[in-house]
């Protein structure tokens, strides 16, 4: 039996309406499941900090006539773009360091070294047992730096000496340049102690054979140390000055090793067999300094790159920390009320203040 057309189309309409009705029912029971989740905090983009180049310090050790090797080291450092920013010196290193800090370039230092008449800086006093007074050395240094005090030299400079009364290390960073160098170079038993104020001072090599810590005190970030000190090699040193210098080196060897460990790079020119009073080999000593510095260049550059990378990493972390502290904070969040099943557990709305 045929049914009316209107009845035959009725089930088809219901079938079309069923999905719509299901959606309405689900919406009524479960609520709106398409609400966007709250915004998540985004880490701020922090540009790399701009850092100044590291300040290079040069620590020049003692070694009497072997100190000419320091000139060769300075020549090669400057020629390869590694000019020191600050200089610290002990004994012979204080002489070269003062002249360099005073404004002499390495070639001028070499000219002065070649022309130097050591007799002019040895003022022996017969009434003090044949000891060298040291005033001639003081006057020579002051003349070369234009009689400027330490604080007015072109580069920050420190001369290290030993306070005779207490054995304390003393770092001269101001005052009479020649007098500080004289105090730093006053080898016990060879030079008279130097009186400055109420104290007497002798060679800085007794307590600081290579003044790495003094270079740090001047503000150096990266320290290159030059070690020319005598070592106990089983050979008998020549002359009184050689004996005294080796004795001082033996006394300060343990302290020197500890201080050298705090340098970033140590350069050791091959001058151990040079006599402490042998001024005739000054040109060879300068050449040995050049060779040792050239050989150390890869190590210096690698250590500098490592230092720069570590410093940049630390600066990035600090900059990110500051940026995070200054970033605007999102308002606190509370869960949306659940009206049915199927709601996202993390859905929330801003809490009222």
């Amino acid at each position: 039996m045929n049914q009316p057309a209107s009845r035959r189309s009725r089930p088809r309409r219901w079938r079309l309406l069923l999905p719509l009705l299901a959606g309405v029912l689900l919406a009524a029971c479960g609520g709106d499941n398409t609400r966007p989740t709250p915004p998540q905090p985004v880490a701020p983009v922090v540009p790399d900090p701009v850092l100044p180049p590291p300040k290079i310090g040069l620590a020049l050790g003692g070694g009497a006539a072997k100190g000419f090797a320091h000139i060769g080291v300075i020549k090669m450092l400057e020629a390869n773009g590694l000019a020191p920013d600050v200089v610290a010196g002990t004994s012979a290193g204080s002489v070269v360091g003062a002249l360099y800090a005073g404004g002499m370039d390495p070639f001028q230092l070499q000219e002065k070294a070649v022309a130097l008449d050591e007799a002019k800086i040895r003022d022996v006093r017969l009434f003090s047992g044949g000891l060298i007074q040291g005033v001639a050395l003081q006057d020579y240094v002051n003349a070369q730096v234009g009689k400027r005090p330490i604080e007015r030299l072109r580069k920050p400079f420190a001369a290290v000496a030993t306070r005779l009364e207490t054995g304390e290390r003393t770092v001269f960073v101001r005052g009479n340049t020649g007098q500080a160098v004289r105090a730093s170079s006053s080898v016990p038993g060879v030079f008279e102690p130097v009186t400055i104020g109420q104290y007497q001072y002798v060679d800085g090599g007794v307590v600081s054979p290579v003044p790495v810590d003094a270079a740090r005190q001047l503000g150096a970030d990266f320290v290159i140390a030059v070690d020319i000190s005598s070592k106990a090699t089983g050979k008998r040193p020549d002359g009184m000055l050689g004996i005294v210098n080796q004795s001082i080196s033996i006394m300060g060897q343990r302290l020197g090793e500890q201080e050298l460990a705090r340098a970033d790079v140590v350069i050791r020119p091959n001058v151990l067999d040079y006599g402490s009073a042998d001024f005739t080999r000054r040109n060879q000593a300068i050449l040995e300094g050049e060779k040792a510095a050239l050989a150390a260049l890869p190590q210096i550059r690698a250590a500098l790159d490592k230092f720069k990378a570590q410093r940049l990493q630390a600066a990035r972390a600090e900059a990110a920390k500051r940026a995070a502290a200054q970033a605007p904070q999102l308002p606190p969040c509370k869960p949306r009320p659940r009206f049915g099943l199927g709601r996202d557990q993390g859905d929330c709305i801003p809490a009222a203040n």
Side-chain angles (χ1 to χ4, degrees):
M1 185 178 232
N2 294 332
Q3 294 181 352
S6 59
R7 287 192 177 183
R8 288 198 304 270
S9 62
R10 193 174 300 163
R12 187 178 302 169
R13 291 176 185 170
W14 280 106
R15 283 196 298 272
L16 293 174
L17 292 173
L18 279 175
L20 180 61
L21 292 172
V24 172
L25 289 172
L26 285 174
C29 295
D32 183 5
N33 203 31
T34 61
R35 287 178 178 148
T37 57
Q40 299 299 315
V42 179
V45 178
V46 181
D48 274 347
V50 178
L51 300 176
K55 186 178 290 187
I56 298 176
L58 187 61
L60 303 177
K66 294 182 288 187
F68 291 109
H70 292 319
I71 298 172
V73 171
I74 295 172
K75 280 179 67 177
M76 290 302 102
L77 291 179
E78 283 213 348
N80 289 275
L82 296 167
D85 299 291
V86 303
V87 186
T90 290
S91 196
S94 73
V95 179
V96 176
L99 270 55
Y100 179 55
M104 287 190 190
D105 63 40
F107 295 97
Q108 290 174 317
L109 286 174
Q110 186 166 354
E111 288 177 0
K112 292 292 181 182
V114 171
L116 177 65
D117 180 4
E118 64 271 21
K120 292 183 178 179
I121 59 173
R122 289 182 181 173
D123 47 354
V124 179
R125 289 187 63 174
L126 298 177
F127 297 105
S128 61
L131 297 181
I132 297 173
Q133 186 179 14
V135 175
L137 174 62
Q138 175 177 324
D139 292 343
Y140 173 79
V141 171
N142 279 333
Q144 301 307 313
V145 301
K147 298 184 179 180
R148 286 172 293 164
I150 295 176
E151 62 269 25
R152 290 182 55 197
L153 299 180
R154 293 190 182 179
K155 291 179 183 285
F157 170 70
V160 179
T162 304
R163 184 179 293 178
L164 190 57
E165 289 83 359
T166 61
E168 295 177 5
R169 180 186 71 121
T170 301
V171 181
F172 291 101
V173 293
R174 60 178 58 87
N176 188 310
T177 303
Q179 190 179 49
V181 169
R182 175 188 170 195
S184 179
S185 306
S186 292
V187 180
V190 179
F191 282 76
E192 292 181 356
V194 180
T195 301
I196 302 176
Q198 57 182 330
Y199 298 105
Q200 288 188 315
Y201 297 91
V202 294
D203 195 296
V206 175
V207 291
S208 182
V210 186
V212 175
D213 294 339
R216 298 276 187 202
Q217 286 178 243
L218 288 174
D221 303 308
F222 186 90
V223 176
I224 301 170
V226 186
D227 181 17
I228 57 170
S229 59
S230 300
K231 304 294 188 295
T233 60
K235 296 181 180 180
R236 180 178 297 175
D238 295 329
M240 183 181 68
L241 183 58
I243 294 171
V244 173
N245 265 295
Q246 182 149 320
S247 300
I248 292 173
S249 297
I250 292 170
M251 288 187 294
Q253 195 163 351
R254 184 63 57 85
L255 286 173
E257 289 173 357
Q258 295 173 357
E259 191 165 1
L260 280 172
R262 294 190 283 274
D264 294 282
V265 177
V266 180
I267 299 175
R268 290 184 171 92
N270 186 20
V271 293
L272 292 182
D273 61 338
Y274 286 34
S276 298
D278 190 358
F279 283 75
T280 64
R281 302 180 71 180
R282 65 190 79 183
N283 285 323
Q284 293 96 318
I286 293 172
L287 181 59
E288 290 297 338
E290 293 178 14
K291 290 162 60 176
L294 280 174
L297 282 178
Q299 182 188 1
I300 294 172
R301 296 195 189 282
L304 261 177
D305 289 342
K306 181 179 178 181
F307 173 81
K308 290 176 183 177
Q310 290 175 341
R311 189 173 65 162
L312 179 59
Q313 184 177 9
R316 281 173 176 167
E318 183 62 27
K321 183 178 178 181
R322 288 198 304 266
Q326 296 171 0
Q329 301 295 317
L330 294 173
C333 204
K334 69 178 182 180
R336 291 184 184 276
R338 298 184 61 190
F339 297 106
L341 300 176
R343 177 168 299 281
D344 184 2
Q345 295 280 342
D347 195 12
C348 64
I349 57 175
N353 292 331

